[in-house]
Amino acid sequence: MAMSIPEMAHAVKRLQVRQHRAASEALRPLNVTLVQWDALRHLRAHPGASLHDLAVLTFQTDQAFGTLAARLEARGLIRRVAGAGRAIRPELTSEGERVFAEGREITERVARTTFSALGADELAALGGMLERLLAG
């Protein structure tokens, strides 16, 4: 019997939570949370982004991302630099670059494990379906 749409929605959420927990556990040796690593990832992908831009990209409020940025700065993973006008822009430090790179390897390994039960054709089909759903 096929899953109902509410069951599918719940299954997607369960898979996301399982992925999040596995990645969080795998990142623990780097002394960084998945939320912190994701902030480094977006900062690396969007150099010069404002704290507000990064908050939007990471699904956080400006205040929550400001707190996160302060923690990342205290750990020496980012530094705040002057931008245009009065804007302050965060950027990765060399330590932030190292943690980002090691974290990328870890999170990619976790993602491959999460989807390892699917073959190449199934992964391509799932990817296409997700893209259609997200575009709608």
Side-chain angles (χ1 to χ4, degrees):
M1 184 166 140
M3 275 190 203
S4 69
I5 290 177
E7 288 170 331
M8 281 188 267
H10 185 67
V12 168
K13 180 64 177 175
R14 287 179 49 220
L15 184 61
Q16 185 266 334
V17 167
R18 182 170 50 186
Q19 166 79 14
H20 187 113
R21 286 181 181 154
S24 293
E25 183 63 31
L27 287 166
R28 188 168 284 150
L30 293 179
N31 195 30
V32 68
T33 68
L34 181 57
V35 171
Q36 291 169 335
W37 180 82
D38 191 50
L40 298 178
R41 179 177 70 92
H42 282 292
L43 183 52
R44 180 106 182 333
H46 303 93
S50 69
L51 290 174
H52 171 75
D53 295 335
L54 294 164
V56 170
L57 288 166
T58 58
F59 307 103
Q60 297 184 51
T61 65
D62 288 354
Q63 183 178 3
F65 194 84
T67 300
L68 175 61
R71 286 187 185 126
L72 294 172
E73 188 174 27
R75 289 239 358 250
L77 301 177
I78 69 169
R79 67 180 149 259
R80 297 178 198 223
V81 296
R86 297 186 323 158
I88 301 295
R89 306 280 187 205
E91 68 180 20
L92 294 178
T93 62
S94 58
E95 177 65 3
E97 287 282 356
R98 183 191 68 77
V99 170
F100 163 75
E102 288 185 32
R104 180 178 51 199
E105 290 177 23
I106 290 167
T107 57
E108 287 176 1
R109 184 176 62 245
V110 169
R112 283 191 300 276
T113 300
T114 297
F115 292 96
S116 65
L118 301 179
D121 290 344
E122 292 170 310
L123 287 170
L126 177 60
M129 288 183 275
L130 290 171
E131 285 175 351
R132 283 194 352 239
L133 290 169
L134 291 170

